[in-house]
Amino acid sequence: MKIGIVCYPTFGGSGVVATELGKALANEGHQVHFITYSQPARLDFFSANLFYHEVSVRNYPLFDYAPYESALASKMVDVVRFEKLDVLHVHYAIPHASAAFMAKQILASYGIDIPVVTTLHGTDITLVGKDPTYKPVVTFSINQSDGVTTVSNDLKKDTLKHFKITKDIRVIPNFIDLNRFSLQAKDHFKKAIAPNNERILIHTSNFRKVKRTKDVIRVFEKVQKVIPSKLLMVGDGPERAYDEQLCRELKICENVRFLGKQDAVEEILSVSDLFLIPSESESFGLAALEAMACKVPVLSSNAGGLPELNVDGFCGYMDNVGDIEGMAAHAIEILKDDNTLNQFKENAFMRAKDFDLKKILPLYVNFYKEVVKNCGKF
Ligand code: GMT
């Protein structure tokens, strides 16, 4: 098939899923056309089946806000027409689903019926999308999509709760490429971080409020009093400066390293013993799945779709949002001795295999085929 993928090209979860999906589809022989405003972060190699079309927004002195959505819709029209795409798959509702609706209408005027699949990822529903600023547009463009997917049952439930949805929603969870995300021997790195064989705890995110990064630090502060340990904070975002300040106040700076944005996160996960994700809301938790694939147990909140990934007492533990005491106790339970830790590590890997790319990719391909067939294309 010829598939157009529209996504945010950044490190955010939706962009990562969209890029990995496109790469996997291209590997299977499909022709994949990315339509984004810059080269997606993980699209950093050549493949004969992968194409990148940049959306450039012309500015003009009249514009206080450059009309990105119009530029994107125009680019979609252009790529669908000239590359003869079979389907457009847009990731993250705002503004991709509404731009796709616009493109679909324009293409209809050329006699082209392009099926549109929209994948809802999380904050496009739970945070930004349900805000009255965007809600009517999000509702309309979801209902106008030819196919809609969410990354968890919980996100589907939230979508149906907050929006008047007339379309069926298919749940297709996040996936992991186990060829890339797997335990790697990085002993030299482990030694540099934890010279006295301390346990290594890790958090990776975009440091937005919803991630509750302060809880990560507060939990760690309690853990390191009982078990010699280090904390790696990977990523960057609005909360980071406050988190660094909190480390100073708690006098734990020598045990906490802020590593900023990292490309090879699998290498850092490979030296880690426990992944912390205490989010306020989390539609799936791709970062936790990446950790599990590298044999890192997960301590999470029980918010959103996290219970669909983490298995309490098996590959990690779950506590209520903000339950610092409970999370610290569970972290200590996992880290207390090598036997317990190793069992959790093996279980984490076992759980990750349930979301192997090889199992999830066919769900997307079959969904495309269904949607295209319903549009009467083939
Ligand atoms: O908030 C983020 O972490 C980024 C966000 C995005 O859409 O870019 O991630 C969401 O999509 C991921 C991929 O589907 C999910 O694994 C994350 O759980 C989800 N984040 C939230 O719901 C907060």
Side-chain angles (χ1 to χ4, degrees), residues 69 90 93-106 116 118 120 124-125 129-148 159 162-167:
E69 197 171 332
V90 302
I94 309 164
H96 302 148
S98 44
F101 170 73
M102 171 73 92
K104 190 177 164 81
Q105 298 308 303
I106 297 168
V116 172
T118 297
L120 306 170
D124 47 352
I125 293 299
K130 71 176 194 223
D131 187 286
T133 322
Y134 300 112
K135 195 171 177 178
V137 173
V138 171
T139 310
F140 179 80
S141 43
I142 291 173
N143 284 329
Q144 292 298 319
S145 301
D146 298 287
V148 182
T159 308
H162 296 296
F163 301 83
K164 270 208 172 81
I165 298 301
T166 53
K167 274 260 136 45

Coordinates of all heavy atoms in Angstrom, one line a residue, residues 69 90 93-106 116 118 120 124-125 129-148 159 162-167:
E69 N -2.0 24.8 9.9 CA -3.0 23.8 9.6 C -3.3 23.9 8.1 O -3.5 22.8 7.4 CB -4.2 24.0 10.4 CG -5.1 22.8 10.4 CD -6.3 22.9 11.4 OE1 -6.1 23.5 12.4 OE2 -7.3 22.3 11.1
V90 N -3.2 9.9 10.3 CA -2.8 11.0 11.1 C -2.7 10.7 12.6 O -3.6 10.0 13.1 CB -3.7 12.3 10.9 CG1 -3.7 12.6 9.4 CG2 -5.1 12.1 11.4
A93 N -4.7 14.2 17.4 CA -5.9 14.8 16.8 C -5.6 16.3 16.3 O -6.1 16.7 15.3 CB -7.1 14.7 17.7
I94 N -4.9 17.0 17.2 CA -4.8 18.4 17.0 C -3.4 18.8 16.3 O -2.4 18.5 16.9 CB -4.9 19.2 18.3 CG1 -6.2 18.8 19.0 CG2 -4.9 20.7 18.0 CD1 -6.2 19.2 20.5
P95 N -3.4 19.4 15.2 CA -4.4 19.8 14.3 C -4.5 18.8 13.1 O -5.1 19.1 12.1 CB -4.0 21.1 13.8 CG -2.5 21.0 13.6 CD -2.1 20.0 14.8
H96 N -3.9 17.6 13.3 CA -3.8 16.7 12.2 C -5.1 16.2 11.7 O -5.3 16.0 10.4 CB -2.8 15.6 12.5 CG -1.4 16.1 13.0 ND1 -0.6 15.5 13.9 CD2 -0.8 17.2 12.6 CE1 0.5 16.2 14.1 NE2 0.4 17.2 13.3
A97 N -6.0 15.8 12.6 CA -7.3 15.3 12.1 C -8.1 16.3 11.4 O -8.7 16.0 10.3 CB -8.1 14.7 13.3
S98 N -8.1 17.5 11.8 CA -8.9 18.5 11.1 C -8.3 19.0 9.8 O -8.9 19.2 8.8 CB -9.2 19.8 12.0 OG -8.0 20.1 12.7
A99 N -6.9 19.0 9.8 CA -6.2 19.3 8.5 C -6.5 18.2 7.5 O -6.7 18.4 6.3 CB -4.7 19.4 8.8
A100 N -6.6 16.9 8.0 CA -6.9 15.8 7.1 C -8.3 15.9 6.6 O -8.6 15.6 5.4 CB -6.7 14.5 7.9
F101 N -9.3 16.4 7.4 CA -10.6 16.5 6.9 C -10.7 17.6 5.8 O -11.3 17.3 4.8 CB -11.5 17.0 8.1 CG -12.9 17.4 7.6 CD1 -13.8 16.5 7.2 CD2 -13.2 18.8 7.6 CE1 -15.1 16.9 6.7 CE2 -14.5 19.2 7.1 CZ -15.4 18.2 6.7
M102 N -10.0 18.6 6.0 CA -9.9 19.7 5.0 C -9.3 19.1 3.7 O -9.8 19.3 2.6 CB -9.0 20.9 5.5 CG -8.7 21.9 4.5 SD -10.1 22.9 4.1 CE -9.9 24.2 5.3
A103 N -8.2 18.4 3.8 CA -7.5 17.8 2.7 C -8.5 16.9 1.9 O -8.5 16.8 0.7 CB -6.2 17.1 3.1
K104 N -9.2 16.1 2.7 CA -10.1 15.1 2.1 C -11.2 15.8 1.3 O -11.5 15.3 0.2 CB -10.8 14.3 3.3 CG -11.6 13.1 2.8 CD -12.1 12.3 4.1 CE -13.2 11.4 3.7 NZ -12.7 10.1 3.1
Q105 N -11.7 16.9 1.8 CA -12.7 17.7 1.1 C -12.2 18.2 -0.2 O -12.8 18.2 -1.3 CB -13.3 18.8 1.9 CG -14.0 18.4 3.2 CD -15.0 17.3 2.9 OE1 -16.0 17.5 2.2 NE2 -14.9 16.2 3.5
I106 N -11.0 18.8 -0.1 CA -10.3 19.4 -1.3 C -10.1 18.3 -2.4 O -10.4 18.4 -3.5 CB -9.0 20.1 -0.9 CG1 -9.3 21.2 0.0 CG2 -8.3 20.6 -2.2 CD1 -8.1 21.9 0.7
V116 N -9.1 8.4 5.6 CA -8.3 9.0 6.7 C -8.5 8.2 8.0 O -9.6 7.9 8.4 CB -8.8 10.4 7.0 CG1 -8.0 11.0 8.2 CG2 -8.5 11.3 5.8
T118 N -7.4 8.2 11.9 CA -6.9 9.1 13.0 C -6.5 8.2 14.2 O -7.4 7.4 14.7 CB -7.9 10.1 13.4 OG1 -8.2 10.9 12.3 CG2 -7.4 11.0 14.6
L120 N -5.6 8.5 18.1 CA -5.6 9.3 19.3 C -4.6 8.8 20.2 O -4.5 7.6 20.5 CB -7.0 9.4 19.9 CG -8.1 9.7 18.9 CD1 -9.5 9.5 19.6 CD2 -8.0 11.2 18.5
D124 N -4.1 14.6 23.4 CA -4.9 15.2 22.4 C -6.4 15.0 22.8 O -7.3 15.7 22.3 CB -4.7 14.7 21.0 CG -4.5 13.2 20.9 OD1 -4.5 12.5 22.0 OD2 -4.5 12.6 19.8
I125 N -6.7 14.1 23.8 CA -8.0 13.9 24.3 C -8.1 14.3 25.7 O -8.9 15.1 26.1 CB -8.3 12.3 24.2 CG1 -8.4 11.9 22.7 CG2 -9.6 12.0 25.0 CD1 -9.5 12.6 21.9
G129 N -7.3 18.3 24.0 CA -8.5 18.1 23.1 C -9.8 18.5 23.8 O -10.7 19.0 23.1
K130 N -9.9 18.2 25.1 CA -11.2 18.4 25.7 C -11.4 19.8 26.2 O -12.5 20.2 26.7 CB -11.5 17.4 26.8 CG -10.7 17.5 28.1 CD -11.2 16.4 29.1 CE -10.6 16.7 30.4 NZ -10.1 15.6 31.2
D131 N -10.3 20.6 26.1 CA -10.4 22.0 26.4 C -11.4 22.7 25.4 O -11.3 22.4 24.2 CB -9.0 22.6 26.2 CG -9.0 24.1 26.7 OD1 -9.5 25.0 26.0 OD2 -8.4 24.3 27.8
P132 N -12.3 23.6 25.9 CA -13.3 24.2 25.0 C -12.6 24.9 23.8 O -13.3 25.1 22.7 CB -14.0 25.2 25.9 CG -13.7 24.7 27.3 CD -12.5 24.0 27.3
T133 N -11.4 25.3 23.9 CA -10.7 26.0 22.8 C -10.7 25.1 21.5 O -10.8 25.6 20.4 CB -9.2 26.2 23.1 OG1 -9.1 26.6 24.5 CG2 -8.6 27.3 22.2
Y134 N -10.6 23.8 21.7 CA -10.4 22.9 20.6 C -11.6 21.8 20.4 O -11.7 21.2 19.4 CB -9.1 22.1 20.7 CG -7.9 22.9 20.7 CD1 -7.1 23.0 21.9 CD2 -7.5 23.7 19.6 CE1 -6.0 23.9 21.9 CE2 -6.4 24.5 19.7 CZ -5.6 24.6 20.8 OH -4.5 25.4 20.8
K135 N -12.4 21.7 21.5 CA -13.3 20.5 21.6 C -14.2 20.4 20.3 O -14.3 19.3 19.8 CB -14.1 20.6 22.8 CG -14.8 19.3 23.2 CD -15.4 19.4 24.5 CE -16.2 18.1 24.8 NZ -16.8 18.1 26.1
P136 N -14.9 21.4 19.8 CA -15.7 21.2 18.7 C -15.0 20.7 17.5 O -15.5 19.8 16.8 CB -16.3 22.6 18.4 CG -16.1 23.4 19.7 CD -14.9 22.8 20.3
V137 N -13.8 21.2 17.3 CA -13.0 20.8 16.1 C -12.6 19.4 16.2 O -12.6 18.6 15.3 CB -11.8 21.8 15.9 CG1 -10.9 21.2 14.8 CG2 -12.3 23.2 15.5
V138 N -12.1 19.0 17.5 CA -11.6 17.6 17.7 C -12.8 16.7 17.5 O -12.7 15.6 16.8 CB -11.0 17.5 19.1 CG1 -10.7 16.1 19.5 CG2 -9.7 18.3 19.2
T139 N -14.0 17.0 18.1 CA -15.1 16.1 18.0 C -15.5 15.9 16.5 O -15.6 14.7 16.1 CB -16.4 16.7 18.7 OG1 -16.0 17.1 20.0 CG2 -17.5 15.7 18.8
F140 N -15.6 17.0 15.8 CA -16.0 16.9 14.4 C -15.0 16.1 13.6 O -15.4 15.2 12.8 CB -16.1 18.3 13.8 CG -16.5 18.4 12.4 CD1 -17.8 18.2 12.0 CD2 -15.5 18.6 11.4 CE1 -18.2 18.3 10.7 CE2 -15.9 18.6 10.1 CZ -17.2 18.5 9.7
S141 N -13.7 16.4 13.8 CA -12.7 15.7 12.9 C -12.6 14.2 13.3 O -12.3 13.4 12.4 CB -11.4 16.4 12.9 OG -11.0 16.9 14.1
I142 N -12.8 13.9 14.5 CA -12.8 12.4 14.9 C -14.0 11.7 14.1 O -13.8 10.7 13.5 CB -12.9 12.2 16.4 CG1 -11.6 12.6 17.1 CG2 -13.2 10.7 16.7 CD1 -11.7 12.6 18.6
N143 N -15.1 12.4 14.2 CA -16.3 11.8 13.6 C -16.2 11.7 12.1 O -16.9 10.9 11.4 CB -17.6 12.5 14.0 CG -18.0 12.1 15.5 OD1 -17.7 11.0 15.9 ND2 -18.5 13.1 16.2
Q144 N -15.4 12.6 11.5 CA -15.3 12.6 10.0 C -14.2 11.7 9.6 O -14.1 11.5 8.4 CB -15.0 14.0 9.6 CG -16.1 15.0 9.8 CD -17.4 14.6 9.0 OE1 -17.3 14.2 7.8 NE2 -18.5 14.8 9.6
S145 N -13.4 11.1 10.5 CA -12.3 10.2 10.0 C -13.0 8.9 9.6 O -14.1 8.5 10.0 CB -11.4 9.9 11.2 OG -10.8 11.1 11.7
D146 N -12.3 8.2 8.6 CA -12.9 7.0 8.1 C -12.6 5.8 9.1 O -13.3 4.8 9.1 CB -12.3 6.7 6.7 CG -12.7 7.7 5.8 OD1 -13.9 7.8 5.4 OD2 -11.8 8.6 5.4
G147 N -11.5 6.0 9.9 CA -11.2 5.0 10.9 C -10.5 5.7 12.1 O -9.8 6.7 11.9
V148 N -10.8 5.2 13.3 CA -10.3 5.9 14.5 C -9.7 4.8 15.4 O -10.3 3.8 15.6 CB -11.4 6.7 15.3 CG1 -10.7 7.4 16.5 CG2 -12.1 7.7 14.4
T159 N -12.3 9.0 25.5 CA -12.8 9.7 24.3 C -14.3 9.7 24.2 O -14.9 10.7 24.0 CB -12.2 9.0 23.0 OG1 -10.8 8.9 23.2 CG2 -12.5 9.7 21.8
H162 N -15.8 12.1 27.0 CA -15.6 13.5 26.9 C -16.1 14.1 25.5 O -16.3 15.3 25.4 CB -14.2 13.9 27.1 CG -13.7 13.7 28.4 ND1 -14.2 14.3 29.5 CD2 -12.7 12.8 28.9 CE1 -13.6 13.8 30.6 NE2 -12.7 12.9 30.2
F163 N -16.3 13.3 24.5 CA -16.7 13.8 23.2 C -18.0 13.0 22.7 O -18.1 11.8 23.1 CB -15.6 13.6 22.2 CG -14.3 14.3 22.6 CD1 -13.4 13.7 23.4 CD2 -14.0 15.5 22.0 CE1 -12.3 14.3 23.8 CE2 -12.9 16.2 22.4 CZ -12.0 15.6 23.2
K164 N -18.8 13.6 21.9 CA -20.0 12.9 21.3 C -19.5 12.2 20.1 O -19.4 12.8 19.0 CB -21.0 13.9 21.0 CG -22.0 14.2 22.0 CD -23.4 14.6 21.4 CE -24.5 14.7 22.5 NZ -24.4 16.0 23.2
I165 N -19.1 10.9 20.2 CA -18.4 10.2 19.1 C -19.4 9.2 18.5 O -20.1 8.4 19.2 CB -17.2 9.4 19.6 CG1 -16.1 10.4 20.2 CG2 -16.6 8.6 18.5 CD1 -15.6 11.5 19.2
T166 N -19.5 9.3 17.2 CA -20.5 8.5 16.4 C -19.7 7.4 15.7 O -20.3 6.5 15.1 CB -21.2 9.3 15.4 OG1 -20.2 10.0 14.6 CG2 -22.1 10.4 16.1
K167 N -18.4 7.4 15.8 CA -17.6 6.4 15.0 C -17.2 5.3 16.0 O -17.0 5.5 17.2 CB -16.3 7.1 14.6 CG -16.4 7.8 13.2 CD -15.8 7.0 12.1 CE -16.6 6.9 10.9 NZ -17.2 8.0 10.3

